[in-house]
Amino acid sequence: MRNTSLISFLAAGLLCAAASYGALPASPFFFYVTTVAGEGKKGYLDGKGIHSRFNWPTGVAVSDEGVVYVADYSNNLIRKIDASGNVATLAGSVRAGFHDGKGKEALFWGPDNMTMDSTGNLFVADADNFSVRKITPAGAVTTVAGSAVAGLRDGPSAEAMFGYPTGIAVDGRGVLYVADRRAHAIRKIIPTPDGGRVVTVAGGRGAGYADGKGAGSLFREPVSLAVTPGGVLYVADSGNNAIRKITPDSTVTTIAGASMPGYRDGSGKEAFFSWPTGMALDSRGNIYVCDSNNNKIRRITPEGIVSTAAGELLPGSLDGWGLKSGFNFPTAVAVDRAGNIYVADSGNNKIRKITYGESKEVNRPLSNPEGIAALLW
């Protein structure tokens, strides 16, 4: 005979755990994951869709026309995926280096996150060159700031220094924001008639965790960021496993996560992340975050509610319904005009796409606790 009290206890526990892990959303909306490009093997090969190869892609950006750009970190390349899924090399050579020029004449070293401005220019955090680079729609590469020498120095763009720039975003005024990982700082590049100026917005006094204003705040290896058109910043403070917010007056607050790594959905600091990296905003103000060590894509609503959009906890590579799909250390995310989400799935060497839709059949909340517990018997 079964112990019904035990069954009820176990069922309740499973339901609570499922709710905590975002596995049983009550909403009829769903996320569906497909592979856009990448065979899944490490390498360098242009081609169509899954017949192409990448080597640890870490950045994605998408144009209004649906063209996806990829920072192919370990190949030192910037790749381009057209609307038909054809992958081509836009700029760079497999050989690491630091050189401006057009297309394959240019050299990068460890290009990381990317962003695109309103005129179609790409900006790349060229991490191992300690620089920020620009690629025009015609493929011409120039250096915006930094000079391939590591450091932390504000000033005119040509004289400024970065510790290890990994994240980049651009606001509606053309101001670039940079997550300077090894400097534990958030920097910005302000356009000026004489070539721009680099200023530290927040952090920069060493690794730590403190909310506050400007230099009074502390970060620990911030890897990525996103910015609203009005200049409100959201930062993936990776080493602190937290999502931070910086207002235009440089006030830093924590909106989700805490210094302790973990995995839990919830409101604000009740939620847990483990090495959050890539970030992107959609038109509704939702923030999408690559929760890298948890192999998931998380969503933060404007109200601060954290949920899981896609990915199981263990590394995987399956396409399919959000919570049944698999990722392996995703590091970058971008959202197109239609709300589709593109992910640099670094550990799988793939570019994935998450479609957001509505269904009455997918991810329905379970309503039979005893049926769940019966699975244990």
Side-chain angles (χ1 to χ4, degrees):
M1 181 179 292
R2 295 180 180 178
N3 186 328
T4 56
S5 297
L6 178 60
I7 291 173
S8 298
F9 173 78
L10 291 172
L14 283 170
L15 283 175
C16 290
S20 297
Y21 285 80
L24 305 171
S27 168
F29 290 95
F30 70 88
F31 296 90
Y32 193 84
V33 180
T34 56
T35 298
V36 174
E39 187 180 68
K41 295 180 180 180
K42 184 186 301 183
Y44 168 45
L45 180 67
D46 287 339
K48 186 164 185 176
I50 61 171
H51 301 293
S52 59
R53 288 187 180 182
F54 299 86
N55 191 353
W56 201 260
T58 54
V60 284
V62 58
S63 72
D64 289 344
E65 294 74 33
V67 177
V68 180
Y69 297 89
V70 180
D72 195 0
Y73 180 89
S74 291
N75 277 328
N76 306 299
L77 299 172
I78 308 302
R79 317 283 291 278
K80 177 180 177 179
I81 308 172
D82 67 20
S84 298
N86 297 302
V87 179
T89 299
L90 175 66
S93 168
V94 176
R95 177 171 62 91
F98 182 54
H99 181 70
D100 290 340
K102 190 169 184 179
K104 295 182 181 181
E105 297 173 358
L107 295 176
F108 296 84
W109 188 6
D112 210 302
N113 276 284
M114 301 191 301
T115 191
M116 179 175 282
D117 70 12
S118 59
T119 60
N121 295 303
L122 277 172
F123 295 90
V124 183
D126 194 7
D128 288 288
N129 279 321
F130 315 108
S131 301
V132 173
R133 316 288 291 280
K134 175 183 175 180
I135 309 174
T136 68
V141 179
T142 55
T143 299
V144 175
S147 58
V149 178
L152 175 57
R153 184 168 69 194
D154 290 344
S157 294
E159 301 172 11
M161 300 170 72
F162 296 90
Y164 194 72
T166 53
I168 190 164
V170 62
D171 70 12
R173 301 168 298 158
V175 176
L176 289 167
Y177 297 85
V178 180
D180 196 353
R181 176 177 170 180
R182 290 181 187 162
H184 312 290
I186 306 303
R187 322 283 294 280
K188 70 178 177 180
I189 306 171
I190 305 168
T192 63
D194 59 354
R197 187 172 186 83
V198 177
V199 176
T200 297
V201 175
R205 294 186 297 113
Y209 180 38
D211 289 339
K213 192 166 184 177
S217 61
L218 293 173
F219 295 81
R220 187 183 302 275
E221 296 192 72
V223 166
S224 187
L225 43 73
V227 63
T228 69
V232 176
L233 277 170
Y234 296 95
V235 180
D237 190 7
S238 305
N240 283 321
N241 303 294
I243 308 302
R244 318 284 292 277
K245 177 182 178 180
I246 308 176
T247 56
D249 68 351
S250 298
T251 299
V252 179
T253 55
T254 300
I255 65 166
S259 58
M260 182 174 64
Y263 171 50
R264 186 171 70 193
D265 288 335
S267 179
K269 294 181 181 180
E270 296 174 357
F272 290 115
F273 297 83
S274 184
W275 197 259
T277 54
M279 303 182 74
L281 287 160
D282 70 11
S283 60
R284 300 179 180 88
N286 296 302
I287 308 168
Y288 290 92
V289 181
C290 292
D291 193 4
S292 297
N293 273 340
N294 283 326
N295 305 297
K296 292 179 177 291
I297 307 301
R298 314 285 292 279
R299 180 172 71 167
I300 308 172
T301 68
E303 296 76 29
I305 306 301
V306 180
S307 61
T308 300
E312 295 186 311
L313 195 59
L314 295 176
S317 60
L318 286 177
D319 289 344
W321 305 120
L323 299 172
K324 297 295 184 182
S325 62
F327 294 87
N328 186 357
F329 206 85
T331 59
V333 62
V335 182
D336 69 13
R337 295 179 67 181
N340 299 306
I341 304 158
Y342 294 86
V343 180
D345 191 3
S346 302
N348 283 321
N349 296 297
K350 293 181 178 182
I351 305 303
R352 316 289 290 281
K353 179 180 179 180
I354 305 175
T355 305
Y356 182 56
E358 184 174 6
S359 171
K360 296 181 180 179
E361 301 300 324
V362 180
N363 288 345
R364 291 177 297 172
L366 298 179
S367 58
N368 183 2
E370 186 157 338
I372 301 172
L375 296 176
L376 300 175
W377 295 80

